[in-house]
Amino acid sequence: MRTTASYLRIIGYLIFSFLLMELTIDSGDQMAIEKYPVIWAILGIVLLFSMATEICVEALRSILVRTLKAEAKEKYMEAEAERKANQFGGLKRFYKKMLGSKPLSEEHEIILDHNYDGIKELDNDLPPWWLYGFYATIIFAVIYMARYHIFDGVNQAEEYEIEVAEARAAIEEYKRTAKDLVDVNTVTLLTDASDLQAGKTVFMDNCVACHKADGGGGIGPNLTDEYWILGGGIKNVFRTISEGGRDGKGMISWKQDLKPVEMAQVASYILTLQGTTPAEPKAPEGDIWTEPDTETKQ
C-alpha cells in the first residue's frame, strides 16, 4: 500500500508538471511537450529516478522493520529465558544447599587418593537435610524419655483408656439427643407440644381403626383407663408398639413402618389419653398399672 501510494504521488507530480508546462510555455498551436521533447525526456528521467528512490526507500524500510522485529523477538526470548531460569530461584538454591554437594567444577578439591580401575571417590560431606533430621531425632528422643520415663507421663495404655472413655461418653450423649436412635432402653416420655402433635398425627393415621379416635377402644383395648395388658408407662407402651402384642392376637409390630422417634411420639401421646372420658369406653382389660419408683418421669 505504501509503494502504490508513492507511485500515485509520483504520477500526480508528473501530471502537475505537464500541466504547469503547458500553461507557462508558449508553444503556439503545438503542445509544449511536442515542441520541446527534451522536457519530456527530463520528466521521464525524473519519474524513473523518483520511482527508483521510492523502491529503495521502501526496501530499506522493510529491512529495518524486519531487523527491529528480530531484535525485539530476540530480546523477548532472552528475557523469557532469564525469567524461567530465575523462577523458583530461592527454592532451587535452598535445594542445592540442602544437598551439600559441590559443583562439578569444584569436585577436584574433594577427590580422594583412592583409584579403582579409573574410578575415583569424592570426599563429600553428609547432606545437611540428613544431618538436620538426625539431630531432630536426638532432640525428640531426649524429650520423649524425659516426658514419659522421668516425669511419669501418661503411657499408651492409659491414653487408650482415656480416649475410649471419652468416646463412650460422646456416644451416650449423641444417643441421648438423637431421637432416631431411641430404643426401649433409652426412650423417655415426651412432653413437648410439637412431639405430642406429631404423635397424635401418627395415632390418627394408624391406630384409630382399633382404638378409636378418642382412645376408647374397639378391636383394641381402651387406652384411657389404668388397665394395661402388657404394662403401662412409656417403655412398655413403646415396646408394645415396636414389637407388637401377644402372639397370635393383639397388635402387630410397627417397627418396620414407623421410625423410633415416631414410636416415641405416639407412645407419649397415648399416655396423654390416660384419665380422659371417651364417648364409648370399652371394658377394662389386663391389670392396673402402677408406675415403678425407678421409672423416671419427665
Side-chain angles (χ1 to χ4, degrees), residues 277-289:
T277 303
E280 298 177 355
K282 189 178 180 180
E285 297 179 79
D287 302 317
I288 295 178
W289 169 258

Side-chain angles (χ1 to χ4, degrees), residues 56-107:
C56 292
V57 170
E58 182 64 24
L60 290 174
R61 190 193 68 82
S62 178
I63 293 172
L64 180 61
V65 169
R66 286 198 297 268
T67 302
L68 292 176
K69 286 184 177 179
E71 291 178 355
K73 183 177 180 181
E74 184 178 356
K75 289 181 179 179
Y76 172 77
M77 295 300 293
E78 291 176 356
E80 189 68 13
E82 184 178 358
R83 185 188 67 80
K84 289 183 178 180
N86 294 330
Q87 192 175 20
F88 307 111
L91 183 60
K92 291 177 181 178
R93 289 191 295 272
F94 176 75
Y95 174 73
K96 289 181 179 179
K97 185 177 179 180
M98 291 303 292
L99 288 179
S101 59
K102 284 186 174 295
L104 186 63
S105 59
E106 300 178 9
E107 284 187 350

Side-chain angles (χ1 to χ4, degrees), residues 3 23 56 126 128 176 185 199 211 249 277 287:
T3 303
L23 292 174
C56 292
L126 287 172
R176 189 180 66 81
N185 298 312
H211 298 282
K249 59 181 178 179
T277 303
D287 302 317

